[in-house]
Amino acid sequence: HDHLITSKQLSREDIEAVLDRAAEIDADPAAVAQRHAGTLLGLLFFEPSTRTKMSFETAMKRLGGDIVDMGSVESSSVKKGESLADTVRVIDGYTDALVLRHPREGAAKMASEFVDVPLLNAGDGAGHHPTQTLLDLYTIRENAGLDDLTIGIMGDLKYGRTVHSLAYALTNFDTQQHFISPESLQLPREVVYDLHLEGTTVREHETLDEILPSLDVLYVTRIQRERFPDENEYQQIAGQYQIDAATLEAASDDLTVMHPLPRVDEIAADVDETTHAAYFEQAHNGVPVRMALLDLLLGGETDE
Ligand code: CP
């Protein structure tokens, strides 16, 4: 079976197949309302989530299927010390596909080796978040187009898994990528190395102002407090790399501002009403994109 562990596995053709299917579903969701009746999706979230978990649940139900939810770590037998491998081996037998979020980098890859049904990585520590990337790409394609694109990715580039997945996926398109962060939160060097191997020039900046006017998309991320080994280090960085409506006066009128959410204080509320703000639309796109992904993975009448 096909597992989705990292965006590195996705070719341009794979990405376009999901985005095209998502656009079809978005235009006529009623056409697929019973397409996967009887299908069960297992949700295994070992870390908090609002969007990813609820949009997967919505997506499966809107395709006519249902979900089986492990619930929180506290209310499951993980609390008694059960291993991840044993947990996924059991839920594998209950369901037709699995969605896993886990605080440990590499957890999805490891878990996928113990299951027969497709396993989708919904975030593994500071590693990857490939289904987020698909909805990000859908949003970029709708707002700015994926080729001839200049994107700035700002904030916590070290621990931000949405950033890692997005940066890899964008190497499939004609995109200039700029990375804006404090030095201590730059992209991991192995990601920079991989991007170079894919022919992408990594342009790193410590401030937004020098690059803002040339951007088509600004992708802002939260500083990932839960990943810092030292709270003091977080406190020194917290509050930097924020934007508000005044910041965006220097931007192109067509700039699209994105954020995977949740935001803490990176984007002021006065940006929400500007024509730049696309982050709530981005979160809503999680449903058609995850419907498309599930539909393609689970197969159906057309078995694409
Ligand atoms: N963007 C995202 O992954 O949000 P959640 O943590 O709420 O799922």
Side-chain angles (χ1 to χ4, degrees), residues 8-187:
K8 287 189 219 178
Q9 355 167 176
L10 298 174
S11 66
R12 184 177 174 127
E13 290 69 32
D14 295 332
I15 292 166
E16 285 175 343
V18 176
L19 305 197
D20 291 347
R21 186 76 183 120
E24 282 171 18
I25 289 172
D26 218 358
D28 187 10
V32 292
Q34 288 306 316
R35 192 168 151 79
H36 292 282
T39 299
L40 284 179
L41 180 67
L43 302 181
L44 299 151
F45 279 71
F46 291 73
E47 264 195 345
S49 170
T50 298
R51 274 147 293 275
T52 310
K53 186 171 177 182
M54 294 187 74
S55 65
F56 262 117
E57 176 165 359
T58 306
M60 193 68 259
K61 289 181 171 172
R62 290 222 184 273
L63 289 166
D66 209 338
I67 59 107
V68 181
D69 182 2
M70 182 187 79
S72 70
V73 164
E74 287 298 307
S75 66
S76 72
S77 284
V78 178
K79 185 77 179 155
K80 303 174 199 162
E82 186 163 36
S83 70
L84 176 60
D86 281 2
T87 302
V88 296
R89 260 193 285 220
V90 171
I91 314 303
D92 175 55
Y94 299 166
T95 59
D96 302 297
L98 290 171
V99 178
L100 173 69
R101 171 171 290 188
H102 198 279
R104 207 167 60 237
E105 205 169 322
K109 174 88 186 81
M110 186 280 279
S112 72
E113 284 158 21
F114 293 90
V115 298
D116 291 325
V117 300
L119 183 141
L120 306 176
N121 181 7
D124 61 321
H128 296 272
H129 194 352
T131 70
Q132 175 72 41
T133 292
L134 290 167
L135 73 93
D136 292 344
L137 295 174
Y138 186 81
T139 309
I140 294 170
R141 191 170 83 165
E142 297 245 297
N143 283 275
L146 278 165
D147 282 313
D148 194 21
L149 174 82
T150 303
I151 185 169
I153 305 181
M154 181 168 87
D156 185 347
L157 313 180
K158 179 177 180 182
Y159 298 115
R161 56 196 176 197
T162 68
V163 172
H164 306 157
S165 287
L166 181 60
Y168 283 116
L170 286 171
T171 64
N172 289 294
F173 301 91
D174 176 17
T175 304
Q176 269 204 31
Q177 300 195 51
H178 294 269
F179 297 93
I180 307 120
S181 74
E183 199 179 350
S184 61
L185 293 182
Q186 282 180 338
L187 276 181

